[in-house]
Amino acid sequence: MTIGGQSSAPRTLAEDLRARDDDALVRLLRARPDLIAPVPTDVTQLATRAATRTSVARALDHLDAFTRQTAEALALAPDGCPYDELSGLMTGLQAREARPGLGEPLEEAEAAAVAAELPRAVGALRDCGLVWGDDDRLRLVRTARDVLAPSASMPSSTGLGPTVAESTAGMSPARLQELLADAGLGATHDPASAVDALTALFADPDAFAALLAQAPEGVRAVLDRLVWGPPYGEVRDATVAIRAEEAATPVQWLLARGLLLPVGQHNVVLPREAALALRAGRAHRTPQPLPPRVAPVARTARTVDATAAGQAFTAVRTVTDLLKQWQSGGPPVLRAGGLSVRDLRRTAAALDLTEPQAAFWLELAYAAGLVAADGEVDEAYAPTPAADEWLLLPAERQWAVLATAWLAATRTPGLVGTRDAKGRALAALGPDLDRSLAPHVRVAVLRLLADLPPGAAAEAGELLARLRWERPLRAGADALRTELVGWTLADAETLGVTGRGALAAHARPLLDAAPRDTSATGPGAGSAADVPASPDAAAGRAAAKLAPLLPEPLDHVLLQADLTAVAPGPLVAPLAETLGVLADIESKGGATVYRFTPESVRRALDAGRTAAELQSFLSEHSRTPVPQPLAYLIDDVARRHGTLRVGAAAAYLRCDDDALLTELLADRRASGLALRRLAPTVLASQTDPATLLERLRDMGLAPAAESADGDVLITRPDARRTPPRSAPVPVPDGPPVPDANLLGLAVKAIRAGDRAATAVRRAPADTAPPGLPRSPSAETLATVQAAVLTGESLWIGYVNAEGTATQRVIAPVRVEGGHVTAYDHTTDEVRTFALHRITGVSELADDPT
């Protein structure tokens, strides 16, 4: 901003933001999306919101390690720190000349790296609104200074303690004068000047080095233990006033001269100014200007892709088996939500998996929207209608659906079996498994692998170190991230996203749809150009890359005389579905073995198939003739199927063969069914039909359920489905990053509101400045029509239907029918104004700035 040809530095954050261009405001809002929820009315409100403690803390949490170190250094410096002074705090260059007893600055190479990266860090702090002002007066937002500056109650990661002024607060004036005298300084007139004199001693390298040169043996060892933090030490009695001539120990020597100051009955602190002098002016012991390197571990790209493709195919088969396992009704939902330990164990045994593996696949199917609770009174889990659509997809598309859901899910299966803060066990599919950090860690780990040469893997420790540099977290969150990195690498291998620890080629397109963390500030942070691809398009490209690596589905099996069928490879979906009903899977592997049993054949007959249809199906899809034992099995079960009919009375049995009913009444195994003959061909039971069917089948019979009309009820294998369910929505980590269009509109609205709030209005000559603008109706109409043609904004007075008078800044768009349609800068919306309610119009004066 220039006034009268001279440069004027901004006096507030609001002035600084107002002077920035639209691109700078877009970068601010992208880095801190919480600032536009809702959109601020003007720049002043934007600046106020950007300085709130919650927003500042969120912004600090998204800084990379070096940018945060830069902010911490600014928090140590006085407000309005010049860039050169900041550089000195980061490198120690102001203390390049060696002085006895003082520390040394960074090595030349380290200092050069810091100097090269410091402009980027300062720019990132400016972009996210934490720093404002020119390079000659860098000003950290006051809230950020309060959060980052070390104090007695909140130590800093710099390892520095409170200042001399903060540490001596409450100390008696007499004791302050004693400290000055023992440090070799003259007396002062008041406590404030005494604190200033002691502070100046520590800030003067020559005087401070001379003081340390007089120190006895052992003093330097005490200082070395405190200088890089923590700056607090424990002594026997810190509050006893020790004079220089009475000091008998190194700690007493330091206490007598103010190099250590008491902060409690038994605690002392090394003042910040003294620690900085001992550090040669450096705020951090080890600045981290560059991210840790992730060294590639060589793998063969072809081996990686083949291994990952094999795991991808296994993943699809595992989820398919899970859906079939639960298609006739899954386990009940616990009252608190989730799956019981017993049901998890039973599901794991049915799928031949360990319990942690079963929890992973259950959570994955749930995240993909393939299983859910059915919402009934006795709530249970079951496949969703989306599962039927998924089962019909080719294997590569099925895998892309699973991988996409895994990448974005906040569900964390690794927590299953652990306990929450209240000591309650966390259950699979339970409500407490969401962790908003999970998708960020997954995407970040995979992006680091994607940045390596194709086929290269990386050590988990190096990946974790890189993530810690890109986004330092508090202790609790960092412990969770450490676990998430391990789980991500294991789950990616299980799912076929990686092979032998390296990212597979077919998984790379999925990262195109994952948005980068635009609030991050490191070298790999997202920018306006990083527009995520459509998830469907990314999944399609991933499926296209995976398809050539998967085995071709087969449309045939090999029937054998021992009532088995061998599928030498994966089967096409219709064949696999029908065969899964007609037979039981006996073993899996490179070839799948199906076993035909009376129960499995009855299951197919219950689904509405006839014996002739089953015989025809097997003949059509077998490369070998249908064996005679299998044909006999099908005919025998079909002949007995439906001889008994079970319906609802409480329940009844109907059979044309009264001898069979007589035999059933005499059978001891039926004693618990409370059977009673109503007619020669009808028995009644007090047991419900479902239980009666199950008990009769256990006795070796083949009953069929029938409707109230006497028709046989067909039981489809996919009959148990939940109502339509959508996949669970991931729990966001703060507000979502807005897209470019929304950011542009938000900036436009903020500018408009600011213009309306700060506009300099030119009132007509016959109108008093405090009143509404007034003009004749003809002049009002002519001025508005002219503004439509020129696109100019106008200042109007308007009286609404309730008689309330307001002033507005509008941009007219159309005039017709006695109304003017205009963009209202005050409310940031297009509105229609009645011309007869406009008291007058006036053009806006040019902005003098």
Side-chain angles (χ1 to χ4, degrees):
M1 182 184 300
T2 60
I3 298 178
Q6 296 181 349
S7 175
S8 175
R11 296 168 297 176
T12 63
L13 175 60
E15 287 188 5
D16 184 275
L17 296 179
R18 189 172 287 116
R20 299 186 185 186
D21 58 23
D22 288 354
D23 288 342
L25 290 185
V26 166
R27 291 195 298 272
L28 169 64
L29 298 179
R30 182 182 293 110
R32 299 172 66 177
D34 57 298
L35 298 182
I36 56 172
V39 177
T41 57
D42 54 30
V43 174
T44 301
Q45 189 178 89
L46 174 64
T48 301
R49 196 177 295 175
T52 59
R53 190 176 187 88
T54 301
S55 181
V56 167
R58 184 184 296 277
L60 291 172
D61 285 344
H62 285 81
L63 300 177
D64 65 75
F66 184 66
T67 305
R68 187 179 178 93
Q69 286 182 331
T70 304
E72 290 170 343
L74 279 172
L76 301 174
D79 194 21
C81 172
Y83 183 88
D84 291 342
E85 184 175 340
L86 172 63
S87 179
L89 283 169
M90 298 299 294
T91 63
L93 293 179
Q94 82 279 17
R96 179 60 65 186
E97 297 179 5
R99 291 178 173 85
L102 298 186
E104 292 297 322
L106 292 176
E107 298 292 334
E108 291 289 347
E110 294 178 300
V114 170
E117 289 296 316
L118 191 57
R120 177 194 64 80
V122 173
L125 291 172
R126 272 203 183 98
D127 285 347
C128 61
L130 296 175
V131 165
W132 57 279
D134 301 328
D135 282 354
D136 55 348
R137 288 181 62 83
L138 293 172
R139 311 190 71 168
L140 189 67
V141 172
R142 184 174 299 278
T143 310
R145 181 179 296 276
D146 294 341
V147 171
L148 294 174
S151 63
S153 60
M154 186 178 295
S156 167
S157 61
T158 60
L160 294 169
T163 62
V164 172
E166 294 168 340
S167 301
T168 56
M171 185 176 288
S172 67
R175 180 56 185 160
L176 283 173
Q177 297 301 324
E178 290 175 355
L179 293 178
L180 293 183
D182 290 343
L185 301 174
T188 62
H189 300 290
D190 53 41
S193 58
V195 170
D196 291 342
L198 193 59
T199 301
L201 170 64
F202 299 150
D204 185 342
D206 294 323
F208 190 52
L211 177 62
L212 288 181
Q214 306 169 14
E217 184 179 357
V219 167
R220 186 67 198 210
V222 174
L223 293 176
D224 287 344
R225 293 177 59 185
L226 302 178
V227 64
W228 291 110
Y232 296 93
E234 186 174 347
V235 298
R236 179 172 299 176
D237 194 345
T239 57
V240 175
I242 300 293
R243 298 304 305 272
E245 61 271 13
E246 302 171 354
T249 66
V251 172
Q252 291 178 341
W253 189 93
L254 293 168
L255 283 169
R257 291 159 178 80
L259 282 167
L260 290 181
L261 294 171
V263 290
Q265 185 69 29
H266 303 291
N267 298 99
V268 296
V269 67
L270 178 65
R272 185 189 308 172
E273 294 85 353
L276 282 173
L278 292 168
R279 296 178 176 193
R282 289 159 51 195
H284 299 88
R285 185 171 196 171
T286 308
Q288 301 175 2
L290 300 175
R293 180 173 178 265
V294 178
V297 178
R299 299 278 192 271
T300 304
R302 178 178 298 178
T303 302
V304 167
D305 293 343
T307 303
Q311 283 299 119
F313 183 70
T314 301
V316 170
R317 292 182 63 179
T318 303
V319 175
T320 301
D321 291 343
L322 169 63
L323 296 177
K324 291 181 178 179
Q325 185 70 25
W326 283 10
Q327 67 184 358
S328 58
V333 180
L334 293 175
R335 181 177 301 177
L339 198 65
S340 68
V341 175
R342 179 182 300 175
D343 288 325
L344 176 62
R345 188 179 299 120
R346 185 179 294 116
T347 301
L351 298 177
D352 196 20
L353 300 170
T354 64
E355 291 179 35
Q357 290 173 335
F360 169 74
W361 294 115
L362 286 172
E363 287 291 342
L364 180 60
Y366 176 66
L370 304 181
V371 297
D374 58 14
E376 300 293 338
V377 176
D378 296 325
E379 199 169 29
Y381 290 105
T384 66
D388 295 324
E389 300 175 8
W390 183 82
L391 288 170
L392 296 177
L393 296 174
E396 62 271 13
R397 291 291 300 180
Q398 290 178 323
W399 176 84
V401 170
L402 298 177
T404 301
W406 171 75
L407 204 57
T410 53
R411 305 285 300 177
T412 312
L415 294 174
V416 173
T418 63
R419 297 191 175 271
D420 61 11
K422 296 182 180 179
R424 297 172 300 190
L426 298 178
L429 304 180
D432 301 319
L433 294 181
D434 284 287
R435 297 294 184 272
S436 58
L437 188 61
H440 296 284
V441 172
R442 292 192 194 107
V443 172
V445 168
L446 296 185
R447 287 198 192 281
L448 291 178
L449 293 177
D451 292 338
L452 300 176
E459 296 293 336
E462 293 184 353
L463 294 172
L464 181 59
R466 178 63 172 268
L467 295 183
R468 284 174 172 163
W469 184 92
E470 291 181 350
R471 187 179 174 186
L473 296 176
R474 302 179 185 91
D478 186 66
L480 173 62
R481 178 170 58 187
T482 301
E483 291 185 313
L484 285 171
V485 169
W487 292 333
T488 296
L489 293 174
D491 294 347
E493 196 77 13
T494 301
L495 187 55
V497 173
T498 60
R500 300 190 64 195
L503 187 66
H506 56 261
R508 291 177 182 268
L510 296 177
L511 294 176
D512 297 337
R516 289 184 178 271
D517 187 0
T518 55
S519 58
T521 57
S527 64
D530 296 324
V531 179
S534 164
D536 291 338
R541 291 196 298 271
K545 285 178 174 282
L546 176 61
L549 303 175
L550 296 179
E552 190 71 24
L554 303 177
D555 61 354
H556 65 273
V557 295
L558 305 175
L559 295 176
Q560 302 187 100
D562 59 351
L563 297 180
T564 61
V566 177
L571 301 177
V572 293
L575 175 57
E577 181 180 357
T578 303
L579 195 59
V581 176
L582 179 57
D584 298 322
I585 296 178
E586 189 171 79
S587 65
K588 301 177 183 178
T592 304
V593 178
Y594 292 85
R595 169 72 62 180
F596 297 95
T597 65
E599 291 76 16
S600 67
V601 173
R602 177 192 52 76
R603 189 169 61 231
L605 295 172
D606 285 342
R609 298 295 187 108
T610 64
E613 289 174 343
L614 295 179
Q615 299 276 14
S616 174
F617 169 80
L618 293 175
S619 300
E620 180 181 353
H621 293 93
S622 175
R623 291 292 178 89
T624 58
V626 178
Q628 191 177 56
L630 179 55
Y632 285 170
L633 174 64
I634 294 174
D635 291 339
D636 182 58
V637 174
R639 184 170 52 256
R640 294 185 293 113
H641 183 264
T643 303
L644 281 177
R645 301 290 185 89
V646 176
Y652 66 83
L653 287 79
R654 182 169 65 84
C655 182
D656 295 334
D657 185 358
D658 59 347
L660 177 58
L661 294 183
T662 302
E663 180 183 347
L664 183 58
L665 282 171
D667 196 322
R668 292 181 179 180
R669 293 175 297 175
S671 59
L673 299 178
L675 297 174
R676 183 167 58 91
R677 188 186 292 272
L678 299 181
T681 60
V682 181
L683 297 181
S685 173
Q686 297 178 9
T687 308
D688 65 273
T691 304
L692 184 58
L693 280 168
E694 183 178 354
R695 292 285 299 276
L696 293 175
R697 287 165 180 168
D698 291 342
M699 294 170 61
L701 301 173
E706 72 175 15
S707 67
D709 297 328
D711 298 326
V712 175
L713 291 176
I714 296 175
T715 306
R716 290 174 50 85
D718 57 350
R720 186 65 181 272
R721 291 292 184 265
T722 69
R725 294 280 191 266
S726 58
V729 179
V731 177
D733 181 19
V737 178
D739 59 24
N741 291 333
L742 180 57
L743 289 173
L745 292 174
V747 170
K748 182 178 180 181
I750 293 171
R751 294 290 195 200
D754 206 50
R755 203 159 46 242
T758 61
V760 180
R761 300 165 181 131
R762 179 188 297 140
D766 59 346
T767 304
L772 294 175
R774 296 188 179 276
S775 59
S777 299
E779 183 180 341
T780 297
L781 178 59
T783 305
V784 171
Q785 289 175 334
V788 172
L789 298 176
T790 61
E792 295 180 352
S793 295
L794 300 175
W795 173 39
I796 69 170
Y798 191 74
V799 180
N800 62 17
E802 288 76 26
T804 303
T806 57
Q807 303 178 49
R808 300 176 180 274
V809 177
I810 66 171
V813 176
R814 183 174 62 253
V815 180
E816 61 182 6
H819 292 80
V820 54
T821 302
Y823 177 78
D824 187 349
H825 290 289
T826 309
T827 60
D828 186 30
E829 62 182 355
V830 176
R831 299 187 58 186
T832 300
F833 300 91
L835 280 170
H836 70 276
R837 295 188 179 276
I838 298 178
T839 63
V841 295
S842 176
E843 297 177 355
L844 295 179
D846 294 334
D847 190 343
T849 60

